[in-house]
Amino acid sequence: DRSIMLYTGILAILKAGNAYIPIDTATPEHRIAYILKDSGIKTVLASSRNRLEGIERQIDVDVLSLDRDPSANPKIKVSATSPSYVIYTSGSTGVPKGVVVSHASVINLINSQIVEFNIRSDERIFQFSTISFDASVEQIWLAFLTGAVLIGVEKNILHNPKQVEELLNRQKATHLHAVPAYLFSLDFKILKYLR
């Protein structure tokens, strides 16, 4: 499953002491080219179907085998102020800018969300946002740092609120984070499990 490889890739990048830069495959090519050049990315984890021009080291997630990787933790020191990820702004005021987010910032966000929403390990968190949006960080790490289930979703389903309602019920999703306009399109009376 591609989403499992995506999350495994993010965890591997962080475990190696690096920061990740999420780039959605639906991002326009000119924006991807700008992010690659501006950030100085040296290695890309991508499907062979999504090869990127100008990047020499591309790891094909479609053929990765986790069985052959070492199980010992690397001897890497990462501090609270070390970068966790870099997210690029929309560029609506000109050129997109890379915003470096530290591990401490992610932990502070997640801890506040855990308290505010009383997130427990039995939650089922719906990943509404793609990884290129900052909101995905909350959704991914709320699940990973509490032991909750993260429910991945195909982007094409998000365009159909009725399909999303069916998926939320079928997957017994308890937590959904989305923009207000989208939330207003859902019928909460039929959503049985959302808290």
Side-chain angles (χ1 to χ4, degrees):
D1 182 291
R2 287 177 48 201
S3 59
I4 291 172
M5 291 311 292
L6 167 72
Y7 303 129
T8 303
I10 289 172
L11 290 168
I13 290 165
L14 293 171
K15 189 171 183 174
N18 297 302
Y20 68 96
I21 301 175
I23 301 174
D24 191 316
T25 55
T27 302
E29 286 184 29
H30 69 279
R31 181 175 166 89
I32 292 175
Y34 174 80
I35 291 171
L36 295 175
K37 183 177 181 193
D38 183 66
S39 65
I41 289 175
K42 301 206 180 341
T43 304
V44 171
L45 297 178
S47 169
S48 58
R49 294 166 292 205
N50 298 312
R51 301 253 337 143
L52 298 172
E53 295 298 320
I55 301 292
E56 286 184 36
R57 184 164 158 76
Q58 296 191 49
I59 300 171
D60 186 348
V61 296
D62 294 329
V63 297
L64 277 180
S65 171
L66 301 177
D67 297 333
R68 65 175 183 224
D69 294 326
S71 60
N73 286 327
K75 292 182 171 44
I76 306 275
K77 289 194 178 197
V78 176
S79 73
T81 59
S82 296
S84 175
Y85 67 99
V86 178
I87 199 85
Y88 272 78
T89 63
S90 66
S92 58
T93 59
V95 180
K97 293 170 187 61
V99 178
V100 179
V101 181
S102 70
H103 288 280
S105 293
V106 174
I107 295 299
N108 287 338
L109 169 70
I110 299 308
N111 282 337
S112 70
Q113 296 289 318
I114 289 169
V115 171
E116 181 67 26
F117 299 121
N118 189 28
I119 301 294
R120 306 175 311 255
S121 62
D122 62 347
E123 301 290 345
R124 299 181 60 82
I125 298 170
F126 190 80
Q127 187 180 351
F128 178 82
S129 302
T130 68
I131 62 162
S132 61
F133 289 106
D134 215 22
S136 70
V137 172
E138 174 200 331
Q139 296 152 24
I140 293 168
W141 294 106
L142 267 178
F144 287 2
L145 295 177
T146 60
V149 171
L150 181 63
I151 302 166
V153 59
E154 294 292 326
K155 283 185 284 187
N156 61 332
I157 291 175
L158 295 176
H159 299 296
N160 185 326
K162 290 296 169 207
Q163 283 185 314
V164 169
E165 290 166 354
E166 291 169 12
L167 183 61
L168 287 166
N169 278 336
R170 189 170 59 250
Q171 292 291 332
K172 299 180 181 176
T174 60
H175 182 84
L176 168 66
H177 174 175
V179 296
Y182 193 86
L183 293 175
F184 286 128
S185 72
L186 299 176
D187 181 359
F188 282 89
K189 293 188 294 285
I190 66 168
L191 297 175
K192 305 178 209 171
Y193 304 98
L194 283 182
R195 293 196 308 114

